[in-house]
């Protein structure tokens, strides 16, 4: 298992390096001069030259690439001051280091994403397993019907409806806001509960149907039917033999859904006016702040790789054959 984790870690690091190189050449080596974008329409030649020097665009392309990549692990110097590692550049709109801006918004996005992940995995898989266990009953029909209805919703549609009902009409809850977990765990949970649930709703419907169909298929396997034929209790066979095997397709799809989960985080933050990484990425695009855009892309790629590696480890734990391959 340790060798499997080491192989996945090395692969993730190499992939991140390639993504960093691709991100650099996509923006910096593109035909358009993003110093002109940063300078704006009413830009004097002296101001444009200052921006090119501040961004290091007056250096050879190879030197720019080396400083960009080495700055991530060793930091770099700008005319405005030193940028300690991990240095992802300097935002010319906020006039701050990109990593500092991301680090300020990161806890909210991580809280929102992880919270939604826990909700839809717990509720979705639990409801799907229960529907499979009570197949053909009212419970099964209710879970299947609810998942079909909820899967048709979108975050930008469901979010305002939930706010209208629970915040503006009834006043049962306050507007969503972020409170650091270390300061007030209860306030953290209450402040982000609505965005977490709304974001998780779409995925919950999908994983309910998937867990149900996977479990029903697993219950038809020969080893499960053999266990039942030996007289083992139904609950024991369900959780001992069928449950673990049914998780394999769910974990596989989860690995492919991680990018959609982060994309849902962007829409959720905008819908509920939360100042996270998603909102920062939108502001960077609107303000044509390409160093900030590059930094957000790299951080997003890092978290996608990290979550994919966690999914791979979980997959190897569920199915030992993966480790041997």
């Amino acid at each position: 298992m340790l060798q499997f984790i080491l192989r996945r870690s090395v692969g993730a690091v190499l992939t991140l390096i390639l993504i960093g190189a691709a991100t650099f050449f996509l923006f910096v080596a593109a035909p358009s001069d993003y110093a002109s974008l940063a300078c704006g329409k009413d830009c004097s030649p002296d101001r444009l030259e200052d921006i090119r020097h501040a961004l290091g665009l007056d250096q050879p392309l190879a030197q720019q690439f080396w400083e960009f990549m080495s700055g991530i692990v060793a930091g770099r110097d700008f005319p405005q001051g030193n940028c300690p590692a991990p240095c992802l550049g300097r935002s010319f709109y906020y006039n701050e280091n990109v990593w500092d801006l991301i680090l300020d918004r990161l806890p909210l996005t991580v809280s929102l994403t992880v919270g939604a992940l826990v909700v839809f995995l717990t509720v979705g898989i639990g409801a799907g397993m229960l529907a499979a266990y009570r197949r053909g009953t009212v419970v099964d029909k209710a879970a299947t019907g609810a998942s079909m209805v909820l899967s048709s919703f979108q975050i930008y549609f469901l979010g305002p409806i939930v706010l209208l009902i629970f915040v503006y009409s009834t006043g049962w809850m306050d507007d969503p806001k972020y409170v650091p977990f270390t300061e007030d765990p209860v306030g953290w949970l209450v402040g982000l509960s609505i965005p977490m649930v709304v974001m998780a709703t779409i995925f919950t419907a999908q994983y309910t149907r998937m867990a149900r169909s996977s479990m029903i298929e697993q219950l038809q396997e020969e080893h499960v039917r053999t266990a039942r034929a030996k007289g083992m209790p139904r609950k024991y066979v369900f959780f001992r033999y069928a449950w673990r095997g049914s998780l394999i397709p769910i974990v596989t799809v989860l690995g492919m859904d991680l990018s959609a989960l982060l994309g849902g985080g962007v829409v959720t933050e905008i819908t509920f006016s939360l100042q996270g990484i998603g909102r920062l990425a939108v502001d960077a695009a609107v303000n044509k702040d390409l160093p900030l855009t590059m930094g957000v892309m790299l951080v997003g790629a890092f978290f996608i790789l990290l979550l994919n590696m966690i999914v791979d480890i979980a997959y190897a734990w569920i199915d030992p054959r993966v480790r041997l391959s």
Side-chain angles (χ1 to χ4, degrees):
M1 188 67 174
L2 180 59
Q3 292 182 351
F4 176 82
I5 296 175
L6 290 176
R7 289 200 306 268
R8 287 293 186 270
S9 301
V10 172
V13 171
L14 294 177
T15 303
L16 194 61
I17 292 174
L18 292 176
I19 292 175
T23 302
F24 173 83
F25 286 106
L26 178 65
F27 287 106
V28 178
S32 60
D33 182 8
Y34 76 83
S36 300
L37 298 177
C39 195
K41 295 182 179 180
D42 301 327
C43 182
S44 64
D46 292 338
R47 173 60 178 165
L48 179 61
E49 188 61 30
D50 290 341
I51 292 178
R52 290 183 59 83
H53 178 68
L55 297 177
L57 298 177
D58 54 351
Q59 300 175 354
L61 186 60
Q63 181 67 22
Q64 294 181 46
F65 176 69
W66 170 253
E67 290 191 1
F68 174 75
M69 297 299 292
S70 62
I72 297 177
V73 296
R76 58 188 295 191
D77 293 323
F78 289 96
Q80 299 92 337
N82 177 261
C83 177
C87 180
L88 299 176
R90 189 171 181 86
S91 167
F92 50 69
Y93 181 80
Y94 292 98
N95 197 27
E96 295 183 38
N97 292 336
V98 170
W99 176 247
D100 293 337
L101 292 170
I102 293 176
L103 199 61
D104 182 59
R105 309 284 187 95
L106 188 60
L108 188 153
T109 300
V110 171
S111 299
L112 188 61
T113 304
V114 174
L117 181 68
V118 171
V119 170
F120 77 71
L121 285 181
T122 303
V123 178
I125 295 178
M129 296 294 182
L130 181 60
Y133 185 74
R134 303 293 299 275
R135 184 182 181 185
T137 65
V138 176
V139 174
D140 180 22
K141 295 178 180 179
T144 304
S147 66
M148 293 294 292
V149 173
L150 293 177
S151 62
S152 63
F153 289 155
Q154 294 296 328
I155 295 174
Y156 53 80
F157 172 76
L158 186 60
I161 293 177
V162 174
L163 286 176
L164 178 64
I165 296 174
F166 291 97
V167 177
Y168 305 131
S169 297
T170 62
W172 291 345
M173 302 188 71
D174 296 329
D175 278 322
K177 62 180 179 180
Y178 173 69
V179 178
F181 180 83
T182 54
E183 295 180 5
D184 184 5
V186 176
W188 170 83
L189 181 60
V190 172
L192 293 180
S193 58
I194 291 180
M196 285 180 185
V197 171
V198 169
M199 183 177 171
T201 299
I202 314 302
F203 294 93
T204 299
Q206 173 188 351
Y207 280 83
T208 297
R209 299 196 308 272
M210 190 188 313
R212 178 185 180 276
S213 61
S214 178
M215 177 56 75
I216 291 176
E217 180 181 351
Q218 195 68 25
L219 290 172
Q220 305 302 320
E221 295 289 336
E222 292 185 2
H223 68 282
V224 176
R225 290 186 295 180
T226 301
R228 290 292 304 276
K230 289 181 178 180
M232 295 182 181
R234 184 186 179 190
K235 290 183 179 180
Y236 179 82
V237 174
F238 189 89
F239 290 103
R240 175 66 178 82
Y241 292 97
W243 180 77
R244 185 168 178 173
S246 67
L247 291 179
I248 294 176
I250 296 175
V251 173
T252 302
V253 174
L254 177 62
M256 296 185 291
D257 278 349
L258 294 177
S259 58
L261 181 64
L262 293 178
V266 174
V267 178
T268 305
E269 290 176 13
I270 296 174
T271 301
F272 293 98
S273 301
L274 297 172
Q275 300 299 318
I277 297 295
R279 185 68 194 186
L280 187 65
V282 173
D283 292 342
V286 171
N287 297 319
K288 300 177 182 179
D289 193 343
L290 296 187
L292 183 56
T293 303
M294 292 167 61
V296 171
M297 287 182 60
L298 282 177
V299 172
F302 169 77
F303 278 102
I304 290 177
L305 289 173
L306 177 63
L307 292 173
N308 269 292
M309 190 170 70
I310 294 174
V311 168
D312 287 341
I313 294 173
Y315 199 107
W317 174 77
I318 295 171
D319 189 355
R321 293 172 297 179
V322 176
R323 289 176 251 168
L324 298 177
S325 62

